[in-house]
Amino acid sequence: MFWFVAAIMTLLATAATIRPLLRTHGSAVSPRPLHDAEVYRAQLAELEADLSRGAIGADEATTARAEIARRLLKSEEAVKVAASEGGDRNGRLAILAGLAVALLLPVGTFLFYDRAGSPDMSDQPLAGREPSAQPSDISAMMAAVERRLAERPDDLTGWNVAAPVYLRLGDADKAATAYRNILRLGPPSAAAQAGLGEALVQKAGGEVTPDARQAFEAALALDPNLPSARFYLALGLSQTGRYAEAKNAWTALIDVSPAGAPWLALAQGALRDAEAKLGNPPPGPDAAAIEAAGQLSDTDRQAMIQGMVAQLASRLDAAPDDADGWSRLIRSYAVLGDKAKAEAAGRRALGVFPPETADGKLLLALAGSLGLNLSGDATTR
């Protein structure tokens, strides 16, 4: 009785499978990937909207964007293959597929049942199985995107995928080019303008250049509450010595920032620095701002704190007789993970404050606590 019921069920399943295949004879097959591609494009647009509103973090957005892009590329390749085939060929393939299913499905069912479906087999719990999913390869994905953009330079979807990845990888030139293409091909976007500004700041080593400032101002014209644009514009005011305006800009940003915002501690430190500069104390970011930078993602931490550190380094070049300023600079480079610059700054500081002086001894103690070697241009004790 069991085998009789199994045979009937197999025949019904086979008939249900081959019926739509035979019905497509003589007509073109509408590719399923065409629908999938539209869904993925809509997902990308929704992701960009969430990122612009601040509903999702930059790191999470980059990971999600990479995965959606991979699926979109796969779907569009499938669409191209399906579109290149004629209706007659599809019909013949459908008939052959139907015949293959009609023959192989029942034969395969009974042939492999004992090995794959027998109730006598032991359980295979999920925890004991080998993981099948592999981590996405960002490099391979970007190579595919670049090949696609080389063939279709007006592909807005491709540029939307590539731009934030370039920015996260630190390739400022490619990121700036990608964001400019997004603005050229699509409607004005606050996220794209802010992304262009960040790429230009990254390219300039943390300095908010006039071009970057123009991009951030354009972003605020579209979204007056965009935190990244407001942050960099305030930073630009601090870098150019416009401390009264910078104080107002930092205060306004802090007032609208939610509690626990990743940029809040940095903004508060920059506000204290602007207030201090109005009273002419030592320049540069304070310890709270530097430590707060360690809580951000690598991309945000590097971009935001580099501007402050560059400002401090520039001031010490002009007025090196500032032991506290050198201590801040050394610690800042150490927090940023740039050991070479931290050690170079320490050696220059010892050139101004020799190791036998009180300030020199403090600088050597700081270097030792950070694991720095200041031997070379200056001799440590």
Side-chain angles (χ1 to χ4, degrees), residues 283-335:
D286 62 12
I290 297 298
E291 293 301 327
Q295 301 175 7
L296 302 176
S297 67
D298 288 342
T299 302
D300 291 341
R301 177 171 62 88
Q302 292 284 342
M304 290 181 176
I305 200 65
Q306 274 180 352
M308 296 180 179
V309 176
Q311 178 188 1
L312 175 57
S314 177
R315 292 185 178 278
L316 289 174
D317 286 339
D321 191 15
D322 180 1
D324 185 56
W326 285 112
S327 296
R328 292 185 185 187
L329 184 63
I330 294 168
R331 189 181 298 276
S332 299
Y333 283 136
V335 171

mmCIF file of all heavy atoms in Angstrom, residues 283-335:
data_model
loop_
_atom_site.group_PDB
_atom_site.id
_atom_site.type_symbol
_atom_site.label_atom_id
_atom_site.label_comp_id
_atom_site.label_asym_id
_atom_site.label_seq_id
_atom_site.Cartn_x
_atom_site.Cartn_y
_atom_site.Cartn_z
ATOM 1 N N PRO A 283 46.057 74.948 22.078
ATOM 2 C CA PRO A 283 45.116 74.467 21.068
ATOM 3 C C PRO A 283 45.027 72.953 21.024
ATOM 4 O O PRO A 283 45.854 72.266 21.590
ATOM 5 C CB PRO A 283 45.738 75.001 19.769
ATOM 6 C CG PRO A 283 47.204 74.989 20.039
ATOM 7 C CD PRO A 283 47.355 75.334 21.500
ATOM 8 N N GLY A 284 44.030 72.478 20.287
ATOM 9 C CA GLY A 284 43.930 71.059 19.962
ATOM 10 C C GLY A 284 42.804 70.363 20.695
ATOM 11 O O GLY A 284 42.235 70.903 21.640
ATOM 12 N N PRO A 285 42.462 69.143 20.276
ATOM 13 C CA PRO A 285 41.382 68.383 20.900
ATOM 14 C C PRO A 285 41.760 67.937 22.298
ATOM 15 O O PRO A 285 42.905 67.619 22.565
ATOM 16 C CB PRO A 285 41.216 67.178 19.963
ATOM 17 C CG PRO A 285 42.550 67.031 19.318
ATOM 18 C CD PRO A 285 43.096 68.406 19.178
ATOM 19 N N ASP A 286 40.789 67.928 23.213
ATOM 20 C CA ASP A 286 41.095 67.497 24.563
ATOM 21 C C ASP A 286 41.019 65.984 24.670
ATOM 22 O O ASP A 286 40.642 65.280 23.732
ATOM 23 C CB ASP A 286 40.170 68.183 25.576
ATOM 24 C CG ASP A 286 38.709 67.820 25.347
ATOM 25 O OD1 ASP A 286 38.455 66.877 24.575
ATOM 26 O OD2 ASP A 286 37.838 68.482 25.944
ATOM 27 N N ALA A 287 41.388 65.467 25.858
ATOM 28 C CA ALA A 287 41.455 64.017 26.036
ATOM 29 C C ALA A 287 40.098 63.372 25.876
ATOM 30 O O ALA A 287 39.982 62.267 25.341
ATOM 31 C CB ALA A 287 42.034 63.700 27.422
ATOM 32 N N ALA A 288 39.022 64.039 26.323
ATOM 33 C CA ALA A 288 37.677 63.458 26.208
ATOM 34 C C ALA A 288 37.287 63.250 24.757
ATOM 35 O O ALA A 288 36.709 62.232 24.386
ATOM 36 C CB ALA A 288 36.659 64.360 26.904
ATOM 37 N N ALA A 289 37.617 64.220 23.914
ATOM 38 C CA ALA A 289 37.290 64.092 22.491
ATOM 39 C C ALA A 289 38.075 62.962 21.853
ATOM 40 O O ALA A 289 37.563 62.201 21.036
ATOM 41 C CB ALA A 289 37.575 65.403 21.768
ATOM 42 N N ILE A 290 39.357 62.841 22.242
ATOM 43 C CA ILE A 290 40.183 61.776 21.662
ATOM 44 C C ILE A 290 39.668 60.407 22.088
ATOM 45 O O ILE A 290 39.549 59.485 21.277
ATOM 46 C CB ILE A 290 41.651 61.957 22.092
ATOM 47 C CG1 ILE A 290 42.198 63.282 21.553
ATOM 48 C CG2 ILE A 290 42.501 60.810 21.593
ATOM 49 C CD1 ILE A 290 42.213 63.381 20.058
ATOM 50 N N GLU A 291 39.350 60.257 23.386
ATOM 51 C CA GLU A 291 38.857 58.973 23.853
ATOM 52 C C GLU A 291 37.506 58.642 23.242
ATOM 53 O O GLU A 291 37.204 57.495 22.933
ATOM 54 C CB GLU A 291 38.748 58.986 25.387
ATOM 55 C CG GLU A 291 40.093 59.074 26.102
ATOM 56 C CD GLU A 291 41.004 57.913 25.749
ATOM 57 O OE1 GLU A 291 40.490 56.805 25.520
ATOM 58 O OE2 GLU A 291 42.224 58.118 25.701
ATOM 59 N N ALA A 292 36.657 59.652 23.041
ATOM 60 C CA ALA A 292 35.339 59.415 22.443
ATOM 61 C C ALA A 292 35.462 58.917 21.025
ATOM 62 O O ALA A 292 34.623 58.145 20.546
ATOM 63 C CB ALA A 292 34.522 60.708 22.470
ATOM 64 N N ALA A 293 36.517 59.331 20.331
ATOM 65 C CA ALA A 293 36.698 58.893 18.948
ATOM 66 C C ALA A 293 36.889 57.392 18.863
ATOM 67 O O ALA A 293 36.542 56.764 17.862
ATOM 68 C CB ALA A 293 37.905 59.597 18.332
ATOM 69 N N GLY A 294 37.429 56.786 19.924
ATOM 70 C CA GLY A 294 37.637 55.347 19.898
ATOM 71 C C GLY A 294 36.347 54.554 19.894
ATOM 72 O O GLY A 294 36.351 53.370 19.598
ATOM 73 N N GLN A 295 35.200 55.183 20.219
ATOM 74 C CA GLN A 295 33.918 54.484 20.241
ATOM 75 C C GLN A 295 33.250 54.445 18.867
ATOM 76 O O GLN A 295 32.264 53.746 18.686
ATOM 77 C CB GLN A 295 32.981 55.174 21.235
ATOM 78 C CG GLN A 295 33.534 55.215 22.657
ATOM 79 C CD GLN A 295 32.648 56.004 23.593
ATOM 80 O OE1 GLN A 295 31.550 56.410 23.222
ATOM 81 N NE2 GLN A 295 33.111 56.224 24.815
ATOM 82 N N LEU A 296 33.776 55.201 17.907
ATOM 83 C CA LEU A 296 33.159 55.253 16.583
ATOM 84 C C LEU A 296 33.693 54.137 15.708
ATOM 85 O O LEU A 296 34.656 53.456 16.040
ATOM 86 C CB LEU A 296 33.455 56.607 15.925
ATOM 87 C CG LEU A 296 32.981 57.850 16.692
ATOM 88 C CD1 LEU A 296 33.431 59.097 15.954
ATOM 89 C CD2 LEU A 296 31.476 57.837 16.841
ATOM 90 N N SER A 297 33.074 53.965 14.544
ATOM 91 C CA SER A 297 33.603 53.041 13.557
ATOM 92 C C SER A 297 34.935 53.572 13.052
ATOM 93 O O SER A 297 35.252 54.754 13.187
ATOM 94 C CB SER A 297 32.624 52.892 12.392
ATOM 95 O OG SER A 297 32.539 54.111 11.682
ATOM 96 N N ASP A 298 35.740 52.691 12.442
ATOM 97 C CA ASP A 298 37.061 53.106 11.969
ATOM 98 C C ASP A 298 36.975 54.273 11.009
ATOM 99 O O ASP A 298 37.743 55.235 11.091
ATOM 100 C CB ASP A 298 37.762 51.919 11.279
ATOM 101 C CG ASP A 298 38.202 50.875 12.285
ATOM 102 O OD1 ASP A 298 38.278 51.214 13.490
ATOM 103 O OD2 ASP A 298 38.467 49.734 11.885
ATOM 104 N N THR A 299 36.022 54.209 10.073
ATOM 105 C CA THR A 299 35.913 55.266 9.061
ATOM 106 C C THR A 299 35.562 56.600 9.695
ATOM 107 O O THR A 299 36.220 57.617 9.455
ATOM 108 C CB THR A 299 34.838 54.899 8.030
ATOM 109 O OG1 THR A 299 35.191 53.638 7.438
ATOM 110 C CG2 THR A 299 34.759 55.950 6.933
ATOM 111 N N ASP A 300 34.520 56.635 10.555
ATOM 112 C CA ASP A 300 34.098 57.883 11.177
ATOM 113 C C ASP A 300 35.167 58.411 12.124
ATOM 114 O O ASP A 300 35.432 59.612 12.186
ATOM 115 C CB ASP A 300 32.787 57.674 11.939
ATOM 116 C CG ASP A 300 31.619 57.427 10.998
ATOM 117 O OD1 ASP A 300 31.750 57.774 9.812
ATOM 118 O OD2 ASP A 300 30.600 56.895 11.440
ATOM 119 N N ARG A 301 35.780 57.511 12.887
ATOM 120 C CA ARG A 301 36.788 57.938 13.848
ATOM 121 C C ARG A 301 37.965 58.594 13.135
ATOM 122 O O ARG A 301 38.426 59.671 13.521
ATOM 123 C CB ARG A 301 37.275 56.727 14.657
ATOM 124 C CG ARG A 301 38.396 57.062 15.638
ATOM 125 C CD ARG A 301 38.669 55.882 16.553
ATOM 126 N NE ARG A 301 39.114 54.715 15.812
ATOM 127 C CZ ARG A 301 40.382 54.479 15.524
ATOM 128 N NH1 ARG A 301 41.316 55.309 15.899
ATOM 129 N NH2 ARG A 301 40.713 53.399 14.838
ATOM 130 N N GLN A 302 38.448 57.957 12.070
ATOM 131 C CA GLN A 302 39.586 58.512 11.347
ATOM 132 C C GLN A 302 39.247 59.858 10.737
ATOM 133 O O GLN A 302 40.005 60.825 10.853
ATOM 134 C CB GLN A 302 40.025 57.532 10.241
ATOM 135 C CG GLN A 302 40.626 56.226 10.743
ATOM 136 C CD GLN A 302 42.041 56.390 11.253
ATOM 137 O OE1 GLN A 302 42.687 57.377 10.948
ATOM 138 N NE2 GLN A 302 42.510 55.429 12.026
ATOM 139 N N ALA A 303 38.100 59.949 10.077
ATOM 140 C CA ALA A 303 37.750 61.182 9.368
ATOM 141 C C ALA A 303 37.529 62.344 10.313
ATOM 142 O O ALA A 303 37.997 63.461 10.075
ATOM 143 C CB ALA A 303 36.504 60.958 8.513
ATOM 144 N N MET A 304 36.810 62.088 11.425
ATOM 145 C CA MET A 304 36.451 63.184 12.317
ATOM 146 C C MET A 304 37.636 63.684 13.137
ATOM 147 O O MET A 304 37.856 64.875 13.295
ATOM 148 C CB MET A 304 35.309 62.741 13.242
ATOM 149 C CG MET A 304 33.990 62.559 12.525
ATOM 150 S SD MET A 304 32.660 62.068 13.659
ATOM 151 C CE MET A 304 31.255 62.054 12.533
ATOM 152 N N ILE A 305 38.445 62.758 13.679
ATOM 153 C CA ILE A 305 39.523 63.181 14.553
ATOM 154 C C ILE A 305 40.725 63.686 13.768
ATOM 155 O O ILE A 305 41.513 64.488 14.260
ATOM 156 C CB ILE A 305 39.920 62.028 15.502
ATOM 157 C CG1 ILE A 305 40.672 62.586 16.724
ATOM 158 C CG2 ILE A 305 40.773 61.017 14.771
ATOM 159 C CD1 ILE A 305 39.840 63.477 17.591
ATOM 160 N N GLN A 306 40.905 63.215 12.520
ATOM 161 C CA GLN A 306 42.045 63.671 11.726
ATOM 162 C C GLN A 306 42.028 65.180 11.527
ATOM 163 O O GLN A 306 43.079 65.820 11.524
ATOM 164 C CB GLN A 306 42.050 62.972 10.360
ATOM 165 C CG GLN A 306 42.749 61.625 10.377
ATOM 166 C CD GLN A 306 42.743 60.964 9.016
ATOM 167 O OE1 GLN A 306 42.092 61.431 8.083
ATOM 168 N NE2 GLN A 306 43.480 59.882 8.896
ATOM 169 N N GLY A 307 40.843 65.735 11.346
ATOM 170 C CA GLY A 307 40.765 67.180 11.161
ATOM 171 C C GLY A 307 41.256 67.933 12.383
ATOM 172 O O GLY A 307 41.997 68.917 12.264
ATOM 173 N N MET A 308 40.878 67.470 13.575
ATOM 174 C CA MET A 308 41.325 68.130 14.797
ATOM 175 C C MET A 308 42.828 67.957 14.998
ATOM 176 O O MET A 308 43.534 68.897 15.396
ATOM 177 C CB MET A 308 40.573 67.548 15.994
ATOM 178 C CG MET A 308 39.075 67.800 15.974
ATOM 179 S SD MET A 308 38.267 67.070 17.418
ATOM 180 C CE MET A 308 36.576 67.579 17.102
ATOM 181 N N VAL A 309 43.332 66.760 14.727
ATOM 182 C CA VAL A 309 44.759 66.502 14.913
ATOM 183 C C VAL A 309 45.578 67.330 13.923
ATOM 184 O O VAL A 309 46.633 67.872 14.267
ATOM 185 C CB VAL A 309 45.055 65.003 14.765
ATOM 186 C CG1 VAL A 309 46.546 64.733 14.846
ATOM 187 C CG2 VAL A 309 44.327 64.217 15.838
ATOM 188 N N ALA A 310 45.103 67.432 12.678
ATOM 189 C CA ALA A 310 45.818 68.236 11.683
ATOM 190 C C ALA A 310 45.886 69.693 12.116
ATOM 191 O O ALA A 310 46.902 70.375 11.916
ATOM 192 C CB ALA A 310 45.124 68.115 10.322
ATOM 193 N N GLN A 311 44.816 70.176 12.716
ATOM 194 C CA GLN A 311 44.800 71.556 13.208
ATOM 195 C C GLN A 311 45.845 71.741 14.309
ATOM 196 O O GLN A 311 46.596 72.726 14.324
ATOM 197 C CB GLN A 311 43.409 71.890 13.746
ATOM 198 C CG GLN A 311 43.295 73.302 14.330
ATOM 199 C CD GLN A 311 41.956 73.509 15.020
ATOM 200 O OE1 GLN A 311 41.141 72.598 15.073
ATOM 201 N NE2 GLN A 311 41.750 74.692 15.557
ATOM 202 N N LEU A 312 45.930 70.800 15.248
ATOM 203 C CA LEU A 312 46.893 70.896 16.333
ATOM 204 C C LEU A 312 48.325 70.827 15.811
ATOM 205 O O LEU A 312 49.194 71.601 16.234
ATOM 206 C CB LEU A 312 46.634 69.771 17.340
ATOM 207 C CG LEU A 312 47.635 69.633 18.497
ATOM 208 C CD1 LEU A 312 47.731 70.935 19.282
ATOM 209 C CD2 LEU A 312 47.236 68.488 19.401
ATOM 210 N N ALA A 313 48.583 69.897 14.878
ATOM 211 C CA ALA A 313 49.934 69.761 14.325
ATOM 212 C C ALA A 313 50.368 71.040 13.622
ATOM 213 O O ALA A 313 51.524 71.470 13.732
ATOM 214 C CB ALA A 313 49.986 68.576 13.368
ATOM 215 N N SER A 314 49.446 71.667 12.894
ATOM 216 C CA SER A 314 49.767 72.908 12.201
ATOM 217 C C SER A 314 50.132 74.016 13.186
ATOM 218 O O SER A 314 51.069 74.793 12.957
ATOM 219 C CB SER A 314 48.582 73.324 11.326
ATOM 220 O OG SER A 314 48.830 74.560 10.701
ATOM 221 N N ARG A 315 49.415 74.100 14.284
ATOM 222 C CA ARG A 315 49.697 75.139 15.270
ATOM 223 C C ARG A 315 51.033 74.897 15.968
ATOM 224 O O ARG A 315 51.759 75.853 16.304
ATOM 225 C CB ARG A 315 48.557 75.217 16.292
ATOM 226 C CG ARG A 315 47.267 75.733 15.679
ATOM 227 C CD ARG A 315 46.189 75.928 16.733
ATOM 228 N NE ARG A 315 44.994 76.476 16.111
ATOM 229 C CZ ARG A 315 44.827 77.778 15.836
ATOM 230 N NH1 ARG A 315 45.786 78.628 16.130
ATOM 231 N NH2 ARG A 315 43.726 78.205 15.268
ATOM 232 N N LEU A 316 51.379 73.642 16.221
ATOM 233 C CA LEU A 316 52.660 73.345 16.852
ATOM 234 C C LEU A 316 53.826 73.626 15.907
ATOM 235 O O LEU A 316 54.926 73.949 16.357
ATOM 236 C CB LEU A 316 52.685 71.893 17.328
ATOM 237 C CG LEU A 316 51.794 71.594 18.543
ATOM 238 C CD1 LEU A 316 51.780 70.107 18.829
ATOM 239 C CD2 LEU A 316 52.267 72.362 19.766
ATOM 240 N N ASP A 317 53.602 73.493 14.606
ATOM 241 C CA ASP A 317 54.640 73.874 13.648
ATOM 242 C C ASP A 317 54.968 75.359 13.768
ATOM 243 O O ASP A 317 56.131 75.764 13.669
ATOM 244 C CB ASP A 317 54.181 73.561 12.216
ATOM 245 C CG ASP A 317 54.227 72.077 11.916
ATOM 246 O OD1 ASP A 317 54.957 71.354 12.622
ATOM 247 O OD2 ASP A 317 53.536 71.636 10.973
ATOM 248 N N ALA A 318 53.919 76.153 13.963
ATOM 249 C CA ALA A 318 54.119 77.600 14.056
ATOM 250 C C ALA A 318 54.587 78.029 15.446
ATOM 251 O O ALA A 318 55.356 78.990 15.576
ATOM 252 C CB ALA A 318 52.826 78.324 13.699
ATOM 253 N N ALA A 319 54.125 77.334 16.499
ATOM 254 C CA ALA A 319 54.476 77.708 17.868
ATOM 255 C C ALA A 319 54.819 76.437 18.650
ATOM 256 O O ALA A 319 53.980 75.905 19.394
ATOM 257 C CB ALA A 319 53.326 78.463 18.537
ATOM 258 N N PRO A 320 56.042 75.916 18.491
ATOM 259 C CA PRO A 320 56.387 74.614 19.087
ATOM 260 C C PRO A 320 56.612 74.643 20.591
ATOM 261 O O PRO A 320 56.702 73.590 21.221
ATOM 262 C CB PRO A 320 57.681 74.235 18.353
ATOM 263 C CG PRO A 320 58.280 75.541 17.949
ATOM 264 C CD PRO A 320 57.128 76.453 17.653
ATOM 265 N N ASP A 321 56.724 75.814 21.212
ATOM 266 C CA ASP A 321 57.024 75.904 22.642
ATOM 267 C C ASP A 321 55.750 75.664 23.465
ATOM 268 O O ASP A 321 55.251 76.549 24.168
ATOM 269 C CB ASP A 321 57.619 77.282 22.951
ATOM 270 C CG ASP A 321 58.194 77.335 24.363
ATOM 271 O OD1 ASP A 321 58.377 76.252 24.952
ATOM 272 O OD2 ASP A 321 58.429 78.449 24.867
ATOM 273 N N ASP A 322 55.233 74.437 23.367
ATOM 274 C CA ASP A 322 53.971 74.089 24.019
ATOM 275 C C ASP A 322 54.014 72.605 24.385
ATOM 276 O O ASP A 322 53.627 71.732 23.601
ATOM 277 C CB ASP A 322 52.802 74.386 23.081
ATOM 278 C CG ASP A 322 51.447 74.049 23.704
ATOM 279 O OD1 ASP A 322 51.413 73.611 24.861
ATOM 280 O OD2 ASP A 322 50.425 74.231 23.016
ATOM 281 N N ALA A 323 54.510 72.296 25.564
ATOM 282 C CA ALA A 323 54.675 70.901 25.978
ATOM 283 C C ALA A 323 53.342 70.176 26.066
ATOM 284 O O ALA A 323 53.220 69.010 25.673
ATOM 285 C CB ALA A 323 55.397 70.845 27.326
ATOM 286 N N ASP A 324 52.305 70.857 26.569
ATOM 287 C CA ASP A 324 50.990 70.241 26.665
ATOM 288 C C ASP A 324 50.430 69.916 25.273
ATOM 289 O O ASP A 324 49.815 68.869 25.065
ATOM 290 C CB ASP A 324 50.036 71.161 27.420
ATOM 291 C CG ASP A 324 48.678 70.513 27.645
ATOM 292 O OD1 ASP A 324 48.622 69.419 28.228
ATOM 293 O OD2 ASP A 324 47.670 71.106 27.215
ATOM 294 N N GLY A 325 50.651 70.825 24.324
ATOM 295 C CA GLY A 325 50.198 70.585 22.959
ATOM 296 C C GLY A 325 50.882 69.371 22.339
ATOM 297 O O GLY A 325 50.242 68.557 21.658
ATOM 298 N N TRP A 326 52.196 69.212 22.598
ATOM 299 C CA TRP A 326 52.907 68.035 22.069
ATOM 300 C C TRP A 326 52.376 66.753 22.704
ATOM 301 O O TRP A 326 52.246 65.726 22.021
ATOM 302 C CB TRP A 326 54.412 68.171 22.330
ATOM 303 C CG TRP A 326 55.106 69.144 21.421
ATOM 304 C CD1 TRP A 326 55.652 70.347 21.758
ATOM 305 C CD2 TRP A 326 55.317 68.998 20.012
ATOM 306 N NE1 TRP A 326 56.190 70.959 20.653
ATOM 307 C CE2 TRP A 326 55.999 70.148 19.563
ATOM 308 C CE3 TRP A 326 54.999 68.005 19.088
ATOM 309 C CZ2 TRP A 326 56.364 70.336 18.231
ATOM 310 C CZ3 TRP A 326 55.361 68.186 17.760
ATOM 311 C CH2 TRP A 326 56.027 69.341 17.336
ATOM 312 N N SER A 327 52.059 66.812 23.986
ATOM 313 C CA SER A 327 51.489 65.621 24.644
ATOM 314 C C SER A 327 50.164 65.239 24.001
ATOM 315 O O SER A 327 49.884 64.063 23.759
ATOM 316 C CB SER A 327 51.287 65.901 26.138
ATOM 317 O OG SER A 327 52.521 66.124 26.783
ATOM 318 N N ARG A 328 49.330 66.225 23.718
ATOM 319 C CA ARG A 328 48.042 65.955 23.065
ATOM 320 C C ARG A 328 48.250 65.353 21.680
ATOM 321 O O ARG A 328 47.548 64.420 21.281
ATOM 322 C CB ARG A 328 47.235 67.244 22.952
ATOM 323 C CG ARG A 328 46.764 67.809 24.279
ATOM 324 C CD ARG A 328 45.873 69.013 24.036
ATOM 325 N NE ARG A 328 45.486 69.657 25.283
ATOM 326 C CZ ARG A 328 44.610 70.636 25.354
ATOM 327 N NH1 ARG A 328 44.045 71.093 24.250
ATOM 328 N NH2 ARG A 328 44.295 71.182 26.514
ATOM 329 N N LEU A 329 49.195 65.908 20.944
ATOM 330 C CA LEU A 329 49.427 65.419 19.582
ATOM 331 C C LEU A 329 49.926 63.975 19.603
ATOM 332 O O LEU A 329 49.476 63.134 18.811
ATOM 333 C CB LEU A 329 50.433 66.325 18.878
ATOM 334 C CG LEU A 329 50.707 65.996 17.408
ATOM 335 C CD1 LEU A 329 49.431 66.165 16.580
ATOM 336 C CD2 LEU A 329 51.813 66.881 16.846
ATOM 337 N N ILE A 330 50.864 63.683 20.484
ATOM 338 C CA ILE A 330 51.392 62.314 20.579
ATOM 339 C C ILE A 330 50.273 61.335 20.939
ATOM 340 O O ILE A 330 50.116 60.271 20.326
ATOM 341 C CB ILE A 330 52.520 62.252 21.632
ATOM 342 C CG1 ILE A 330 53.726 63.071 21.158
ATOM 343 C CG2 ILE A 330 52.939 60.803 21.893
ATOM 344 C CD1 ILE A 330 54.763 63.312 22.236
ATOM 345 N N ARG A 331 49.461 61.702 21.933
ATOM 346 C CA ARG A 331 48.369 60.823 22.349
ATOM 347 C C ARG A 331 47.324 60.663 21.242
ATOM 348 O O ARG A 331 46.770 59.585 21.039
ATOM 349 C CB ARG A 331 47.713 61.370 23.617
ATOM 350 C CG ARG A 331 46.703 60.424 24.258
ATOM 351 C CD ARG A 331 46.086 61.042 25.491
ATOM 352 N NE ARG A 331 47.076 61.321 26.515
ATOM 353 C CZ ARG A 331 47.503 60.409 27.383
ATOM 354 N NH1 ARG A 331 47.031 59.182 27.340
ATOM 355 N NH2 ARG A 331 48.391 60.739 28.303
ATOM 356 N N SER A 332 47.073 61.735 20.501
ATOM 357 C CA SER A 332 46.100 61.682 19.413
ATOM 358 C C SER A 332 46.536 60.706 18.334
ATOM 359 O O SER A 332 45.759 59.868 17.871
ATOM 360 C CB SER A 332 45.911 63.075 18.800
ATOM 361 O OG SER A 332 45.424 63.989 19.751
ATOM 362 N N TYR A 333 47.800 60.805 17.917
ATOM 363 C CA TYR A 333 48.309 59.876 16.901
ATOM 364 C C TYR A 333 48.257 58.431 17.406
ATOM 365 O O TYR A 333 47.959 57.503 16.644
ATOM 366 C CB TYR A 333 49.736 60.233 16.517
ATOM 367 C CG TYR A 333 49.848 61.416 15.582
ATOM 368 C CD1 TYR A 333 50.806 62.413 15.791
ATOM 369 C CD2 TYR A 333 49.014 61.538 14.476
ATOM 370 C CE1 TYR A 333 50.920 63.499 14.927
ATOM 371 C CE2 TYR A 333 49.118 62.615 13.614
ATOM 372 C CZ TYR A 333 50.081 63.593 13.839
ATOM 373 O OH TYR A 333 50.180 64.657 12.984
ATOM 374 N N ALA A 334 48.528 58.234 18.695
ATOM 375 C CA ALA A 334 48.486 56.881 19.252
ATOM 376 C C ALA A 334 47.074 56.323 19.222
ATOM 377 O O ALA A 334 46.854 55.158 18.882
ATOM 378 C CB ALA A 334 49.033 56.900 20.686
ATOM 379 N N VAL A 335 46.082 57.154 19.590
ATOM 380 C CA VAL A 335 44.687 56.703 19.550
ATOM 381 C C VAL A 335 44.264 56.372 18.128
ATOM 382 O O VAL A 335 43.514 55.424 17.878
ATOM 383 C CB VAL A 335 43.769 57.786 20.158
ATOM 384 C CG1 VAL A 335 42.302 57.442 19.922
ATOM 385 C CG2 VAL A 335 44.036 57.921 21.653
#
